[in-house]
Amino acid sequence: MDLAYLRAHPEHLPTFLTHQRIRETPVSGGDSCAASRLTLDDGHSVFAKTWPEHAERAAPEGFFAAEAAGLRWLREAGTVAVPEVVVALPELLALDWVEPDEPTAEAAELFGRELAGLHRAGAPAFGAEWPGFIGLLPQDNSPDPGPWSEWFARRRLLPYLRMSVDNGALTRAEAGPVEDVVDRIAEFGGDEPPARIHGDLWPGNLLWGADDRVWLVDPAAHGGHRETDLAQLALFGGPPHLDRITAAYRETWPLADGWRERVPLHQLHLLLVHTALFGAAYRAAVDSAARAALHGAGRATVDG
């Protein structure tokens, strides 16, 4: 099987894998899926994600389709580097292989400018035209005209707060600061039209390529607020050269007044996803972000 054949007959890939007709090398690829590098007969490689063979449950319906739709939508903007979807089947996803390399300041600055271009491409509404996932959790992508603050509270904070309380990761008392954020959401300011965002842009979803570009992988893409991508990027220690990424972004498309104070607000979504998925280990991070957001709410009209 070569790349041309694979593009013409993507449905044959599972059979070739089952009968070991393709050289397969395991690689790192996330918490929920098995990932491998497939080397084809013509020397081309693709990156494949499959649902683990002995998983306790089947892949959620539409799981790989949502990622494929998001990758194609981000790639359509023609700005930031996004791997091409080669195969999208219910049980697997295969993308063009990106050769990794060490991060550089030059790649970081280019990425900052390209990310601004991606966000400028915009979206017709908040949400998306396909059902969403973030990690293994469903994410409500029902198109919504906004305003952003109300949509963010309703679709991105409250669902994962409820899940986190239901699974015992947060007590009712610990949910209080997040509920206060939701109640005061209009005070934070920063409402903007929907941007075309990655939606799960923690540093692990940046791939630093040998072509000296930064590639976006594993999106939960949708129309959202551009500050969300930038805030998520600063989580968990941030990527190398974060200051260069942010500076290049702001030179290309300045951020609205108060953006620094809104960082914890935007981070709260992904942190609640973590308590919903992984439990109480992220309890303190949720509480810290909620309290920091509330502290900054009254100052979010002046740029830091």
Side-chain angles (χ1 to χ4, degrees):
M1 176 181 280
D2 59 19
L3 186 59
Y5 182 93
L6 182 59
R7 291 185 189 280
H9 305 282
E11 71 279 4
H12 291 176
L13 181 57
T15 301
F16 275 74
L17 288 173
T18 298
H19 294 286
Q20 299 182 337
R21 297 281 301 276
I22 299 175
R23 192 171 81 194
E24 185 175 5
T25 306
V27 296
S28 59
D31 298 317
S32 57
C33 293
S36 56
R37 179 177 184 171
L38 308 181
T39 304
L40 307 179
D41 291 341
D42 59 1
H44 282 97
S45 291
V46 297
F47 171 84
K49 292 173 66 171
T50 58
W51 195 253
E53 186 177 352
H54 302 295
E56 294 182 0
R57 60 189 178 109
E61 184 178 355
F63 179 75
F64 289 115
E67 182 172 346
L71 286 164
R72 288 170 174 144
W73 188 61
L74 297 178
R75 186 177 170 87
E76 283 172 6
T79 56
V80 71
V82 180
E84 182 180 356
V85 176
V86 179
V87 178
L89 299 173
E91 68 272 25
L92 67 84
L93 185 68
L95 315 174
D96 269 344
W97 177 260
V98 177
E99 192 64 33
D101 205 347
E102 294 300 314
T104 67
E106 292 76 17
E109 290 182 1
L110 176 60
F111 172 63
R113 295 191 293 271
E114 292 178 334
L115 184 63
L118 173 69
H119 291 164
R120 276 192 186 276
F126 296 104
E129 296 178 358
W130 56 87
F133 284 88
I134 186 159
L136 295 178
L137 297 179
Q139 181 159 266
D140 188 351
N141 274 349
S142 302
D144 192 311
W148 168 78
S149 54
E150 294 178 8
W151 167 84
F152 187 70
R154 183 171 62 252
R155 308 285 190 189
R156 294 298 182 260
L157 296 183
L158 284 174
Y160 304 104
L161 176 62
R162 294 187 188 108
M163 291 181 199
S164 299
V165 171
D166 289 346
N167 72 8
L170 298 175
T171 66
R172 288 301 317 167
E174 289 166 336
V178 181
E179 292 170 339
D180 290 343
V181 169
V182 169
D183 290 342
R184 296 177 58 186
I185 196 74
E187 298 178 27
F188 290 88
D191 278 345
E192 291 187 358
R196 187 171 304 212
I197 71 170
H198 178 283
D200 189 11
L201 199 59
W202 71 286
N205 285 340
L206 299 186
L207 179 55
W208 299 79
D211 57 355
D212 215 23
R213 295 185 75 187
V214 178
W215 293 71
L216 295 184
V217 296
D218 292 340
H222 61 275
H225 200 302
R226 60 193 180 114
E227 290 176 13
T228 299
D229 271 355
L230 292 168
Q232 291 178 347
L233 201 57
L235 282 168
F236 312 127
H241 311 296
L242 177 60
D243 57 337
R244 306 287 281 271
I245 294 172
T246 305
Y249 185 103
R250 295 181 67 196
E251 288 173 5
T252 306
W253 190 7
L255 294 165
D257 287 350
W259 71 273
R260 294 184 192 276
E261 284 72 25
R262 286 188 292 272
V263 166
L265 170 66
H266 288 276
Q267 291 177 339
L268 195 52
H269 166 227
L270 195 54
L271 292 172
L272 285 168
V273 168
H274 276 66
T275 50
L277 267 175
F278 305 117
Y282 292 92
R283 174 183 291 166
V286 166
D287 183 70
S288 177
R291 293 182 186 280
L294 291 167
H295 179 72
R299 299 181 292 120
T301 55
V302 179
D303 189 8

